[in-house]
Amino acid sequence: MSARSNPTSTNNGATTSRRTFLKSSAGSALVIGFALPLSTGLLAKQAVAAAATGQNSNTFAPNAWLRITPDNRITIICGSAEMGQGVLTAIPMLMAEELDADWKLVSVEQAPVDAAYNNPMFGMQATGGSTTIRAHWTPVRQAGAAAREMLVAAAAERWKLDARQLRTELSHVIAPGGKKIAYGALVEAAAKQPLPEKPLLKASKDFKILGKPTARLDTPAKVNGTAKFGIDAHIDGMLVAVMARAPFPDAQVKSMDESKARAIKGVQKIIAIPHGVAVLADGYWAAKQGRDALAVQWEMGAQAELSSARVSALLGETASRAGAVALETGNLAEASSAAALKLSASYEVPYLAHACMEPLNCLAWVRHDEVTIWAGTQSQGPAQGILAQVSGVTQTRIKINTMLLGGGFGRRFAPDFIVDATLLSKLSGTPVKLIYTREDDIAAGYYRPASLVRFEGALDAKGQASLLRADVASPSIMAASGFMKLPESGVDAMAVEGLADHPYDIAHQRIAYGRAEPGPQVWFWRSVGHSQNAFFIESFIDEMAAAAKADPLQFRLALLSKKPRHRAVLEAAAAKAGWGQPLPDGVKRGIAVAESFGSYVAQVAEVSVSPDGTPKVHRVVAAVDCGMTVNPLTIARQIEGAICFGLSAALYGKITLKDGRVEQGNFHDYPVLRLSEMPKVEVHILPSTAAPGGIGEPGTPPIAPAVTNALFALTGVRLRSLPIDSGLLKKA
């Protein structure tokens, strides 16, 4: 029998003794559910009470995570949303490992909305923050281990043997001498066994599934076209809605032409709701034509003169008086007076859209006492409560069908598209499928904040960093989210993450935040504050290295003596990239490192510049320490995708404002990286026994500074704003 451990706590701090496993017998199937340990302290008895509602279903139990049927099939229920990050494979791998399941017999289903599927790190059923594996690493494995022990107990009882004599492998219980029985033949007997209070977990050295490259379970359906995304949802008799959305929340309709819209064939209804005016039609094209024919004119109010220049000016003014202190150590005045060399610089990044490949959409059907929606959403749990308020229907009567997401990046955590679809269905009395056009999607708000930071730095007589001051200005995501609030200190943790907790050992520091609110709605964007703050800090550290006439890698390593995991990924990325070795003429390397969401990533970028100033990224070498791993294939793909996402922003990403309106509308003026522009990416995963970190987001933060640092090495031009200005490079 494999060696197994019995940990006293999970990586999120919830003790094993507080975890309550639930068992129910559903027909001839063995069903195992469990109450996840929630960061909000949800009591086990609440999960027990919730579980009771689904125990007697013959086909599905709402709180069941594992279903084994007499044909030996294993179905695993995933409560997280699948947006390309691989959770529909990762969660089954966690369960199957401890269950000793035959992977060929495993399938996966999307969970309904239920508190039993709450993300333990959020305390609600939602997907984001690169938390799925971190949160479920222990509880899902424990559920699999508990089921396995019950199956073994059932076999031991049947064979009149001591359970310790038995072992499990490939969905079979095996006795001494080789006699074996399939799990499917034991489901009825196993369902009668008591749930183990402390199921034993495997030691990592005994893993047969975890840590092994594994093909994704959702790939075949995505290849053959049977996979269902939100935009594929359909109900006979539904109307399709396209909205004229308000440019800003306080904008009011000044005028519109309903008669022209109603003259479009197929248009059925025109409905005004708080976010704008919707045209409902028999199909998408009629709805869009009707919306365009409305020719809505907006009263913009205070936002009528908002421009990107005004946003930048406000950020600069706010940074100059940033007073919410996130970090303060040492004595800046003394360090400054003793400095051998002083530096200062300002860095700035613009608002960014998420630009998911699948535009936002939601199909909603409101009946007198029930609401059903079909949507690719990252926040099923919060959505259920929000829609109960919107529709006036009891929360337990709100059904959310979580569809596959054609990209999320944080945008589908927002509720606007599901709220509006539900309102339109309620007001129209029909099922309504709301679809954002690409232009609606990009101009609908919910942007990564524009941000500006002013740095001061100093080097001592030995050329070592002795002082760092950073004054940050940006809008507050915490205040905008609706479910968080700024602490009394006034520091938005997301505005300074990756900066206030940067890894470099500098004796005298002050990091402060100033809140600036130019107007646009801000929201979570892939890697959130780390996405801009890694660019800021890794660029300025590179500036300090250049001022010290030091190698950028060695300068960093000297400041990381207390950060072994940062050092390890830096050294690995540099070694794999051939740092210090010759490159072709006109090509240089840059390096950057960042820790985010519990994982450590260093990247080396190799770049060149064409005569017209256009940068070209040829190769990116990434070293990753994300703790213990589930699926190395997924890790590599996520790092590759995160690099593509971050590189798109570094080269092109920019939401600009003029006369209160967003100027971008589609990929012609909000470009993303083309296939021909994608660099060769090498991903090297460092072995680790640390608790798992996240992987969906940590690959994004280092790419922009790795590229701009390489461009400095090549041209001598220090790029302090994004996207990269090819005009500056051309002049060099």
Side-chain angles (χ1 to χ4, degrees):
M1 183 176 287
S2 299
R4 292 175 182 255
S5 61
N6 195 357
T8 58
S9 66
T10 66
N11 60 299
N12 61 24
T15 60
T16 300
S17 61
R18 295 186 63 189
R19 185 172 297 105
T20 300
F21 287 85
L22 307 173
K23 179 183 71 173
S24 66
S25 177
S28 58
L30 169 65
V31 181
I32 302 292
F34 55 93
L36 299 177
L38 304 184
S39 58
T40 56
L42 181 65
L43 298 178
K45 65 180 182 180
Q46 292 175 303
V48 172
T53 62
Q55 281 185 345
N56 296 319
S57 169
N58 289 323
T59 58
F60 179 71
N63 287 339
W65 288 77
L66 171 65
R67 186 165 67 245
I68 303 175
T69 48
D71 59 0
N72 218 23
R73 298 296 308 184
I74 295 171
T75 303
I76 296 166
I77 315 302
C78 179
S80 301
E82 175 61 74
M83 53 189 131
Q85 82 280 33
V87 295
L88 288 181
T89 303
I91 292 297
M93 289 177 72
L94 291 174
M95 182 77 75
E97 179 64 69
E98 296 295 341
L99 187 61
D100 279 338
D102 184 342
W103 184 250
K104 297 190 296 295
L105 300 176
V106 172
S107 61
V108 63
E109 291 180 1
Q110 188 73 58
V113 180
D114 193 284
Y117 300 108
N118 281 359
N119 181 312
M121 295 181 72
F122 288 163
M124 57 185 176
Q125 189 175 351
T127 309
S130 297
T131 60
T132 297
I133 296 304
R134 291 189 287 165
H136 295 92
W137 174 260
T138 296
V140 172
R141 288 170 58 214
Q142 285 185 320
R148 175 192 163 277
E149 290 187 12
M150 294 169 71
L151 289 158
V152 169
E157 188 175 273
R158 176 176 295 196
W159 290 334
K160 309 301 183 189
L161 294 173
D162 188 326
R164 289 173 294 184
Q165 297 178 267
L166 308 180
R167 64 184 180 87
T168 52
E169 185 178 2
L170 295 176
S171 296
H172 284 76
V173 180
I174 305 171
K179 180 169 67 171
K180 62 182 181 179
I181 185 170
Y183 287 173
L186 292 168
V187 292
E188 291 190 34
K192 298 173 184 177
Q193 299 296 321
L195 274 162
E197 292 185 5
K198 296 181 179 180
L200 300 180
L201 300 181
K202 287 183 180 180
S204 59
K205 65 182 179 61
D206 296 313
F207 288 164
K208 297 178 181 177
I209 295 176
L210 295 180
K212 307 300 189 292
T214 304
R216 287 176 50 160
L217 295 176
D218 54 339
T219 297
K222 290 178 176 177
V223 171
N224 66 30
T226 60
K228 299 298 181 184
F229 291 79
I231 207 162
D232 297 318
H234 178 86
I235 295 178
D236 289 343
M238 72 181 189
L239 296 178
V240 176
V242 176
M243 285 182 62
R245 297 186 60 82
F248 281 91
D250 59 350
Q252 302 294 319
V253 175
K254 182 163 58 177
S255 67
M256 61 179 175
D257 192 339
E258 286 194 46
S259 61
K260 286 186 178 179
R262 294 185 187 279
I264 302 295
K265 184 178 179 181
V267 169
Q268 300 294 327
K269 299 175 185 290
I270 297 173
I271 301 176
I273 58 176
H275 287 151
V277 183
V279 174
L280 281 61
D282 296 336
Y284 170 78
W285 188 241
K288 182 185 181 302
Q289 286 184 306
R291 190 279 305 270
D292 294 346
L294 278 175
V296 176
Q297 298 296 311
W298 298 95
E299 181 60 57
M300 298 290 289
Q303 304 295 348
E305 298 180 2
L306 185 63
S307 66
S308 292
R310 188 169 176 178
V311 169
S312 185
L314 177 59
L315 291 175
E317 294 166 7
T318 303
S320 67
R321 47 185 168 78
V325 178
L327 172 69
E328 191 162 20
T329 61
N331 188 310
L332 266 68
E334 290 183 5
S336 180
S337 63
L341 180 65
K342 298 178 185 179
L343 303 86
S344 63
S346 292
Y347 283 79
E348 186 174 2
V349 294
Y351 291 104
L352 290 179
H354 301 75
C356 304
M357 199 55 60
E358 177 196 13
L360 296 171
N361 59 84
C362 175
L363 170 56
W365 189 7
V366 179
R367 285 148 286 179
H368 71 284
D369 64 346
E370 186 175 74
V371 176
T372 305
I373 72 164
W374 292 259
T377 173
Q378 294 178 239
S379 55
Q380 306 97 311
Q384 190 179 45
I386 292 168
L387 295 187
Q389 297 179 46
V390 169
S391 64
V393 172
T394 303
Q395 183 166 328
T396 56
R397 300 286 291 171
I398 308 291
K399 181 180 180 182
I400 297 176
N401 296 287
T402 304
M403 312 295 284
L404 293 172
L405 287 64
F409 316 125
R411 178 62 178 93
R412 283 183 160 90
F413 210 106
D416 53 311
F417 58 107
I418 60 173
V419 167
D420 289 350
T422 301
L423 275 174
L424 292 171
S425 178
K426 180 179 180 179
L427 294 172
S428 68
T430 61
V432 172
K433 183 177 182 178
L434 173 65
I435 299 177
Y436 285 38
T437 66
R438 175 69 60 195
E439 290 75 13
D440 296 336
D441 202 9
I442 288 179
Y446 295 91
Y447 302 117
R448 188 195 74 173
S451 184
L452 181 146
V453 59
R454 287 181 173 163
F455 281 116
E456 293 179 13
L459 302 174
D460 62 19
K462 296 180 180 179
Q464 296 177 339
S466 59
L467 178 153
L468 178 69
R469 174 172 179 163
D471 294 307
V472 183
S474 77
S476 170
I477 291 178
M478 294 181 72
S481 70
F483 56 88
M484 294 183 289
K485 62 180 181 180
L486 281 172
E488 291 184 5
S489 68
V491 176
D492 184 311
M494 295 179 182
V496 298
E497 62 184 1
L499 188 55
D501 56 348
H502 72 79
Y504 298 109
D505 188 7
I506 300 174
H508 307 281
Q509 298 189 61
R510 183 181 187 273
I511 313 296
Y513 169 68
R515 181 181 174 188
E517 298 291 352
Q521 168 79 43
V522 295
W523 199 247
F524 311 94
W525 190 89
R526 192 174 191 173
S527 75
V528 202
H530 293 282
S531 66
Q532 72 265 15
N533 290 334
F535 167 64
F536 294 156
I537 187 66
E538 285 299 293
S539 296
F540 194 65
I541 289 293
D542 219 67
E543 286 204 50
M544 297 178 82
K549 296 181 171 57
D551 175 83
L553 171 63
Q554 296 305 320
F555 188 82
R556 285 173 169 80
L557 292 174
L559 296 172
L560 293 171
S561 61
K562 301 174 184 177
K563 299 291 183 179
R565 296 179 78 179
H566 287 84
R567 287 181 62 91
V569 291
L570 269 172
E571 290 172 335
K576 295 294 185 181
W579 187 266
Q581 296 178 13
L583 284 166
D585 290 343
V587 180
K588 290 290 184 180
R589 296 186 182 99
I591 196 167
V593 65
E595 182 274 324
S596 60
F597 309 97
S599 292
Y600 302 75
V601 180
Q603 292 172 8
V604 174
E606 297 178 358
V607 307
S608 65
V609 177
S610 68
D612 68 356
T614 301
K616 172 72 175 178
V617 183
H618 300 273
R619 178 184 180 222
V620 178
V621 178
V624 184
D625 174 1
C626 56
M628 287 186 283
T629 64
V630 176
N631 189 350
L633 291 180
T634 295
I635 294 169
R637 299 298 177 266
Q638 285 300 294
I639 295 296
E640 291 165 355
I643 287 171
C644 179
F645 194 80
L647 192 54
S648 292
L651 294 175
Y652 304 120
K654 191 173 188 179
I655 290 293
T656 58
L657 298 153
K658 182 178 180 182
D659 299 329
R661 294 178 181 273
V662 171
E663 294 186 289
Q664 289 71 33
N666 212 313
F667 290 131
H668 70 286
D669 52 13
Y670 193 83
V672 296
L673 206 67
R674 301 290 179 176
L675 185 62
S676 61
E677 299 172 300
M678 184 67 188
K680 178 183 178 182
V681 177
E682 300 172 21
V683 179
H684 302 277
I685 304 170
L686 275 61
S688 176
T689 57
I695 203 59
E697 298 170 276
T700 293
I703 186 60
V707 169
T708 56
N709 290 341
L711 290 169
F712 170 77
L714 180 64
T715 67
V717 174
R718 182 64 66 182
L719 297 164
R720 298 192 178 98
S721 65
L722 296 177
I724 292 167
D725 186 345
S726 60
L728 293 176
L729 298 176
K730 182 179 180 180
K731 293 177 183 177

